[in-house]
């Protein structure tokens, strides 16, 4: 039985009175400074304490049937407690006795669908003022007012009142998204682990099957847009595993939540209104407009605003359906890449061997040189192959530092990064595209013995085998390589963290 709380006299008083009646010497009859725990204290005690029963039954002389009502009540309560799910860390013992408190403006979000995790109730890790638990609850309480305030903007975009009302009727915030929004940690997964997951044999074979199955569509799209089909298939494979993992969250609910709650309301307000426009035009039906927690949907994961800019009706049915029409999915993705600057007939880049003693501060996105110029610096294509065009311009990327392979990145790599601005992502897309074309895995080994290098807030947030300890002081980083300070501040860090890491490793 749970420890009773002050204020629950109708329940806690019952067994106390019975104990006193049958055992005058019970310690419950003795004067005490505090014989009832406070709510805060009780919440830290075990709800399964049965000490009061032992005090009653160990010394009594009365027949057992006179305590039957009390014991039976306790047994029922214990059974109910045991049938409950495991207690959460912040379990409130008052819920065992008290009726649910009436909803208030400070209450957490409504319960989510069965099987869906709920919001933790904690403040976000970003420490943004709009991501405190208090701010999230306040914004959630104002959710309906926030949505109502967006109607004038929706109307100006041509969204009818009927579509707006149908979309927001009964809509509640999905506060679990607040945990996901601020649970995007610094990059801790190694590039090779990332590639192992996304460019595995199953994904390669499934991609080849997709290319064969929809060959006619890929032929037409490649002719119309000049975008390599293998890149489109690679994006399809990486984004949703060829449409098998597109997400099950309502795009309208997700973007509405983020438009009214949290630290990115301005950005997601546009996404929410764009989602309403999609429904208003009838391009995608509400039941099919489902995707990730951030609102990306379809096999190649379009955000609503990207859909507006790039989606095309390639099959000619009057709708830009990037969920159910393969032709529209493939063509819209190709149109996206083309408008972002795709160079027809060009690859994404080349794996290269970086010589010892190389100046890794040249590994910078802003440092673009011709293949010929890179060769003069000692860079060679892996596997002894020649570069197809000596005048192609590229920058050097060393994602694993000095001990891993290097890559010379062409314009199309930058285009893929516009689709998703992460080097590891774009590298996976390029490599998977090569594998779908019949290419081989990378030639050089990854330094799998290395500890993962993170994007640090300070120099102590990473470690290497050459470091004096797992948390090398910032002073050692700076003293061992005076140029290291440039890796911590300014534009160089933003442009090429990997080059800075390589420079640090090569000088140790």
């Amino acid at each position: 039985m749970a420890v009773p709380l002050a204020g629950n006299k109708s329940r806690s008083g019952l067994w106390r009175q019975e104990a006193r009646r049958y055992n005058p010497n019970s310690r419950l009859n003795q004067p005490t400074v505090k014989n009832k725990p406070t709510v805060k204290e009780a919440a830290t005690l075990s709800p399964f304490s049965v000490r009061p029963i032992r005090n009653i039954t160990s010394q009594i002389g009365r027949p057992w049937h006179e305590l039957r009502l009390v014991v039976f009540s306790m047994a029922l309560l214990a059974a109910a407690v045991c049938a409950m799910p495991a207690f959460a860390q912040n379990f409130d013992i008052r819920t065992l006795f008290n009726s649910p408190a009436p909803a208030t403006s400070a209450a957490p979000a409504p319960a989510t669908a069965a099987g869906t995790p709920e919001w933790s109730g904690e403040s976000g890790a970003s420490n943004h003022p709009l991501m405190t638990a208090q701010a999230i609850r306040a914004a959630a309480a104002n959710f309906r007012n926030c949505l109502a305030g967006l109607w004038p903007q929706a109307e100006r975009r041509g969204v009818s009142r009927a579509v707006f009302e149908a979309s927001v009727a009964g809509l509640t915030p999905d506060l679990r998204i607040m945990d996901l929004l601020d649970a995007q940690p610094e990059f801790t997964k190694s590039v090779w682990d990332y590639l192992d997951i996304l460019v595995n044999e199953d994904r390669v074979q499934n991609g080849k099957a997709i290319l064969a199955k929809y060959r006619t569509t890929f032929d037409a799209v490649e002719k119309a847009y000049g975008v390599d089909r293998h890149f489109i298939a690679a994006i399809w494979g990486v984004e949703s595993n060829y449409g098998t993992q597109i997400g099950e969250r309502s795009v309208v609910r997700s973007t509405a939540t983020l438009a009214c709650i949290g630290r990115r309301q301005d950005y997601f307000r546009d996404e929410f209104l764009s989602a309403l426009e999609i429904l208003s035009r009838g391009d995608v039906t509400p039941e099919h407009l489902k995707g990730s927690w951030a609102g990306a949907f379809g096999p190649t994961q379009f955000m609503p605003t990207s859909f507006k800019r790039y989606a095309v009706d390639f099959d000619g049915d009057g709708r830009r359906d990037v969920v159910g029409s393969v032709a529209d999915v493939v063509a819209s993705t190709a149109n996206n890449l083309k408008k972002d600057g795709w160079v027809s007939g060009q690859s994404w880049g080349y794996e290269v061997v970086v010589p010892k003693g190389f100046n890794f501060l040249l590994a910078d996105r802003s440092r673009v040189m011709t293949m010929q110029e890179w060769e003069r610096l000692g860079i060679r294509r892996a596997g002894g192959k020649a570069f197809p065009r000596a005048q192609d311009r590229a920058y050097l990327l060393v994602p694993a530092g000095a001990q891993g392979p290097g890559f010379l990145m062409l314009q199309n790599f930058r285009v893929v990064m516009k689709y998703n601005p992460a080097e590891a992502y774009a590298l996976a897309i390029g490599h998977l595209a090569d594998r779908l074309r019949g290419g081989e895995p990378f030639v050089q080994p990854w330094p799998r013995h290395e500890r993962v290098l993170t994007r640090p807030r300070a120099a102590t947030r990473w470690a290497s085998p050459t470091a004096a300890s797992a948390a090398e002081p910032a002073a050692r980083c700076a003293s061992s390589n005076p140029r290291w300070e440039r890796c911590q501040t300014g534009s160089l860090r933003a442009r090429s963290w990997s080059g800075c890491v390589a420079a640090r490793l090569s000088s140790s």
Side-chain angles (χ1 to χ4, degrees):
M1 175 177 175
V3 177
L5 301 179
N8 280 328
K9 295 181 180 178
S10 62
R11 292 179 173 86
S12 64
L14 175 63
W15 64 262
R16 286 180 181 274
Q17 291 171 8
E18 292 293 338
R20 290 187 177 100
R21 184 155 63 93
Y22 293 116
N23 184 16
N25 295 322
S26 169
R27 62 186 177 85
L28 294 174
N29 278 332
Q30 305 305 316
T32 178
V33 175
K34 183 172 61 176
N35 58 16
K36 290 184 180 180
T38 64
V39 169
K40 181 176 181 181
E41 292 168 335
T44 66
L45 299 177
S46 169
F48 300 104
S49 171
V50 294
R51 186 163 54 186
I53 297 180
R54 290 197 298 269
N55 287 338
I56 295 171
T57 59
S58 61
Q59 302 178 42
I60 61 174
R62 296 280 184 147
W64 170 251
H65 71 274
E66 296 187 23
L67 287 177
R68 186 174 300 168
L69 176 61
V70 176
V71 174
F72 182 68
S73 299
M74 293 177 182
L76 284 178
L77 181 58
V81 169
C82 292
M84 293 175 63
F87 291 104
Q89 183 177 358
N90 295 323
F91 170 74
D92 188 349
I93 196 173
R94 288 170 289 186
T95 60
L96 289 175
F97 296 102
N98 298 338
S99 299
T104 65
S105 61
T112 56
T116 303
E118 296 184 11
W119 176 46
S120 67
E122 299 178 355
S123 298
S126 65
N127 294 322
H128 192 285
L130 293 179
M131 293 301 294
T132 65
Q134 182 179 5
I136 291 171
R137 290 191 178 94
N142 192 52
F143 184 66
R144 298 302 307 178
N145 292 333
C146 175
L147 293 181
L150 294 175
W151 160 243
Q153 297 180 55
E155 184 179 31
R156 287 194 293 271
R157 294 181 180 222
V159 178
S160 69
R161 186 76 191 191
V163 169
F164 183 85
E165 291 296 341
S167 300
V168 303
L171 200 63
T172 58
D174 182 359
L175 293 190
R176 167 62 178 160
I177 292 176
M178 294 299 105
D179 290 328
L180 301 174
L181 179 62
D182 254 14
Q184 302 176 65
E186 296 175 35
F187 186 75
T188 56
K189 185 180 291 296
S190 66
V191 176
W192 48 92
D193 285 339
Y194 189 82
L195 292 174
D196 287 347
I197 294 170
L198 295 179
V199 192
N200 54 49
E201 194 59 33
D202 285 344
R203 209 171 298 247
V204 170
Q205 295 306 318
N206 290 338
K208 289 180 177 179
I210 287 287
L211 287 165
K213 182 177 181 179
Y214 300 109
R215 174 176 294 178
T216 302
T217 298
F218 280 106
D219 285 343
V221 169
E222 200 169 59
K223 182 178 179 180
Y225 295 96
V227 176
D228 187 336
R229 69 185 65 196
H230 301 98
F231 281 86
I232 299 172
I235 290 174
W236 191 348
V238 168
E239 289 287 356
S240 68
N241 200 9
Y242 305 108
T244 63
Q245 300 169 358
I246 62 175
E248 293 298 326
R249 277 186 161 87
S250 163
V251 171
V252 170
R253 187 186 185 204
S254 294
T255 54
T257 298
L258 290 161
C260 293
I261 306 170
R263 59 183 171 81
R264 301 199 65 190
Q265 295 178 34
D266 290 341
Y267 172 82
F268 280 101
R269 194 172 296 122
D270 193 14
E271 298 296 344
F272 169 67
L273 294 170
S274 296
L276 296 182
E277 290 183 74
I278 294 171
L279 295 176
S280 184
R281 283 177 50 93
D283 287 312
V284 182
T285 60
E287 59 269 21
H288 289 155
L289 195 59
K290 296 184 181 297
S292 71
W293 63 264
F297 64 99
T300 55
Q301 295 287 279
F302 276 92
M303 291 296 289
T305 52
S306 295
F307 175 94
K308 285 178 57 180
R309 290 192 296 269
Y310 305 119
V312 296
D313 175 22
F314 199 73
D315 60 12
D317 67 351
R319 297 188 303 122
R320 299 178 296 170
D321 184 3
V322 299
V323 176
S325 168
V326 171
D328 290 358
V329 168
V330 174
S332 297
T333 307
N335 188 45
N336 187 336
L337 296 175
K338 180 181 179 180
K339 288 191 173 181
D340 279 343
W342 186 267
V343 179
S344 297
Q346 189 182 83
S347 181
W348 58 276
Y350 305 100
E351 181 188 359
V352 297
V353 178
V354 182
K356 292 183 178 180
F358 185 79
N359 178 10
F360 280 96
L361 288 180
L362 296 176
D364 188 328
R365 279 185 233 170
S366 66
R367 181 83 63 165
V368 179
M369 294 187 286
T370 66
M371 297 297 173
Q372 193 173 50
E373 290 172 319
W374 284 114
E375 284 187 300
R376 291 196 193 109
L377 294 173
I379 299 292
R380 296 291 182 268
R381 189 175 177 188
K385 300 178 182 179
F387 294 111
R389 292 176 293 274
Q391 295 307 309
D392 278 349
R393 297 175 61 80
Y395 72 90
L396 178 64
L397 175 69
V398 280
Q403 299 186 41
F407 300 89
L408 284 179
M409 300 310 195
L410 302 171
Q411 167 63 17
N412 286 342
F413 186 84
R414 295 179 185 269
V415 172
V416 175
M417 284 194 64
K418 291 181 181 179
Y419 203 94
N420 184 323
E423 290 173 345
Y425 171 89
L427 188 60
I429 295 295
H431 188 40
L432 180 56
D434 285 349
R435 296 293 307 278
L436 294 177
R437 191 182 292 107
E440 298 296 325
F442 291 132
V443 175
Q444 301 168 93
W446 295 97
R448 295 179 182 272
H449 61 281
E450 288 276 12
R451 296 188 56 166
V452 175
L453 302 177
T454 63
R455 296 184 184 275
R457 294 175 185 171
T460 57
R461 295 296 300 275
W462 68 278
S464 75
T466 58
S469 66
E472 189 172 17
R476 164 143 163 67
C477 294
S479 62
S480 63
N481 184 354
R483 297 172 298 182
W484 178 252
E485 293 181 356
R486 296 180 58 197
C487 299
Q488 302 301 308
T489 59
S491 60
L492 182 58
R493 174 187 173 190
R495 290 195 190 119
S496 183
W497 162 245
S498 60
C500 289
V501 169
R504 167 64 184 88
L505 294 176
S506 65
S507 65
S508 298

